[in-house]
Every structure is written in C-alpha cells, then in structure tokens.
C-alpha cells in the first residue's frame, strides 16, 4: 500500500511536469502590452541608476530588489533581447518548482490525489492570466513556499531560516503583508512550544531585511520619510 502511494505521488509529479511543459509552450504566444512590461520596469529603473522611494512613486516598487539580480545577470549575457519571454519561462519554472513542493509537502498530511489537486491549482493559477514575474505572482509563490517550508521545518533550523527569508521577500512584493507577518510572529513567540522555531523564522526575515537595507535602501532618511507618506497613501494599493 505504501509502495503504491509512492508510485502515485511520482506519477502526479510527472503530470505536473507535463503541465509545466505545456505552459512553457503557451508562453511563446500572446502579450500584455501594459502590465507585463510594467512589472519588469521597476528593476530596469534600478539598473539605470534610479533609487527606490526617492525616484519611484509606486507602493509595490520594493519587489524590484528580488528581480534586480536576475535582470543584471541576464543583461550581462544577453542584453535586453528576449527579456519578456525569459521572464515568462522563468516564472513557469518557479511555479512548477513550488507546485512540486506543495505536492510533496501536502502528501505528508493527506492522500496523493488531494495533494496533487492543490499542487495543480498552484501551477495553473496566474493573476490576470499574465504568466510573468509580477509582484502578485511572486508574492503568492514566496508565501506558499514559506508556508511549506514552515510545515516541513519544525525543529529544522535551515528550513525555518529559509521560510523566514521567503516571508521577508513576500513582504517586499506586498508591503502591507508585513502586518500579518508581524502579528503571526508575535503570537508564535508568545507560545513557548513555537517560540524556538519562531525565532529562527524571525532570523530569516531579518536576513532578507538586511539584504534590502544594505543594497537597495537609499541613504537619505529624510527623503525616505517624506516620500513614504505619499507612496503609502495610494488608495488603489
């Protein structure tokens, strides 16, 4: 019975891989002239020398810190030719990896079929049907990855640190999510049975914060405070 369950889980993993291959083919067609190009311009502006907060008004600009190293590496080898197609393929690879993580994580708590259905939902969803590296898509992938690592990481420091790091990066995609993260972390620290694990998760969040503060936050506290009040007052976000 156990052997049959192992065979079925790998069969479902193969099905997810076939679906991901189909999505890679789909990525060759269609284009969203507004949002899809807009999502990548944040990192491009950083590459051009602009600064976060001081030179950018959009409240989700912070997620460009995640894509900036990828953009820099791509530009080093290929320039800008094909960057949008690359972003699509990269997103499909990332969501495929997260769907496999969901499959094997949920399998620990349920039967293979429900785990596969959950993984399939992750793989097949993209906000606005835009299969690219939007802050919406990255937020979902980072949050799901963090939760899966948290489920797998009880007592495992490395996984807990990674979970915190991904949570921290998810806040860069949707800054208001920080309120939920702080609330959940505070509740976990209050309970003794979760306190040790929560401290390691907090360590991962701090690592992500250090990465952002050191490499991307402008060294102008007065300008940052003055501009943040306008950036965070955007009623649409």
């Amino acid at each position: 019975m156990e052997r049959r369950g192992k065979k079925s889980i790998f069969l479902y993993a193969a099905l997810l891989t076939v679906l991901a291959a189909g999505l890679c083919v789909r990525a060759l067609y269609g284009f969203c002239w507004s949002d899809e190009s807009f999502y990548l311009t944040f990192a491009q502006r950083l590459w051009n020398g602009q600064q976060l907060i001081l030179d950018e008004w959009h409240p989700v600009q912070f997620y460009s810190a995640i894509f900036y190293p990828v953009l820099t590496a791509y530009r080093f080898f290929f320039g800008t030719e094909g960057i949008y197609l690359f972003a699509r393929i990269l997103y499909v690879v990332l969501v495929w990896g997260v769907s496999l993580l969901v499959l094997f994580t949920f399998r620990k708590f349920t039967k293979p079929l429900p785990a596969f259905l959950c993984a399939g939902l992750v793989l097949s969803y993209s906000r606005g049907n835009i299969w690219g590296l939007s802050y919406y898509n990255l937020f979902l992938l980072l949050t799901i990855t963090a939760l899966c690592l948290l489920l797998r990481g009880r007592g495992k420091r490395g996984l807990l640190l990674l979970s915190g790091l991904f949570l921290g990066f998810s806040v860069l995609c949707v800054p208001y999510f920080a309120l939920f993260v702080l609330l959940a972390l505070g509740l976990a620290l209050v309970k003794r049975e979760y306190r040790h694990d929560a401290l390691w998760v907090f360590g991962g969040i701090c690592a992500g914060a250090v990465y952002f503060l050191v490499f991307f936050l402008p060294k102008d506290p007065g300008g940052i405070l003055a501009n943040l009040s306008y950036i965070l007052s955007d009623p649409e976000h």
Side-chain angles (χ1 to χ4, degrees):
M1 199 66 182
E2 183 179 348
R3 183 178 299 177
R4 183 181 300 177
K6 288 183 178 180
K7 286 183 177 179
S8 63
I9 202 69
F10 284 108
L11 174 62
Y12 288 135
L15 287 175
L16 290 174
T17 303
V18 171
L19 291 172
L23 290 173
C24 284
V25 174
R26 180 187 183 278
L28 300 174
Y29 303 95
F31 187 75
C32 176
W33 289 100
S34 56
D35 287 358
E36 187 169 8
S37 56
F38 171 70
Y39 294 137
L40 302 188
T41 57
F42 290 114
Q44 177 62 36
R45 289 170 185 167
L46 286 180
W47 202 88
N48 289 340
Q50 293 187 16
Q51 300 181 82
L52 294 176
I53 305 174
L54 301 182
D55 301 319
E56 175 59 59
W57 61 268
H58 205 285
V60 294
Q61 59 183 283
F62 308 105
Y63 105 106
S64 58
I66 301 171
F67 184 63
Y68 180 79
V70 179
L71 174 69
T72 301
Y74 186 89
R75 291 196 58 137
F76 179 80
F77 291 104
F78 308 107
T80 57
E81 185 71 24
I83 184 68
Y84 292 119
L85 180 59
F86 166 76
R88 288 185 178 189
I89 299 298
L90 178 59
Y91 173 70
V92 172
V93 171
L94 291 175
V95 74
W96 169 66
V98 173
S99 70
L100 290 177
L101 178 62
V102 169
L103 176 69
F104 287 102
T105 300
F106 282 28
R107 178 62 186 93
K108 295 177 176 291
F109 306 96
T110 186
K111 294 182 179 180
L113 180 58
F116 168 72
L117 293 176
C118 292
L121 287 174
V122 172
L123 180 60
S124 60
Y125 176 78
S126 176
R127 188 186 184 279
N129 203 31
I130 300 175
W131 291 82
L133 295 172
S134 71
Y135 42 85
Y136 298 111
N137 288 341
L138 284 180
F139 169 75
L140 186 62
L141 295 187
L142 288 167
T143 304
I144 291 174
T145 300
L147 293 177
C148 286
L149 292 176
L150 192 60
L151 287 172
R152 302 172 71 96
R154 291 296 303 275
K156 299 177 182 177
R157 297 175 180 177
L159 291 181
L160 293 171
L161 278 172
L162 281 177
S163 177
L165 182 65
F166 285 120
L167 271 181
F169 283 168
S170 69
V171 170
L172 291 179
C173 296
V174 180
Y176 298 110
F177 186 59
L179 299 175
F180 173 81
V181 172
L182 291 174
L183 176 61
L185 195 62
L187 292 175
L189 288 172
V190 169
K191 289 198 171 186
R192 181 175 298 179
E193 57 182 311
Y194 299 126
R195 187 175 300 161
H196 184 265
D197 288 353
L199 286 172
W200 283 103
V201 172
F202 180 67
I205 294 173
C206 289
V210 168
Y211 163 77
F212 175 77
L213 294 174
V214 171
F215 293 106
F216 296 99
L217 189 71
K219 307 303 185 288
D220 182 3
I224 291 173
L225 293 175
N227 285 12
L228 270 179
S229 61
Y230 295 104
I231 291 172
L232 298 178
S233 64
D234 185 352
E236 294 186 5
H237 298 86

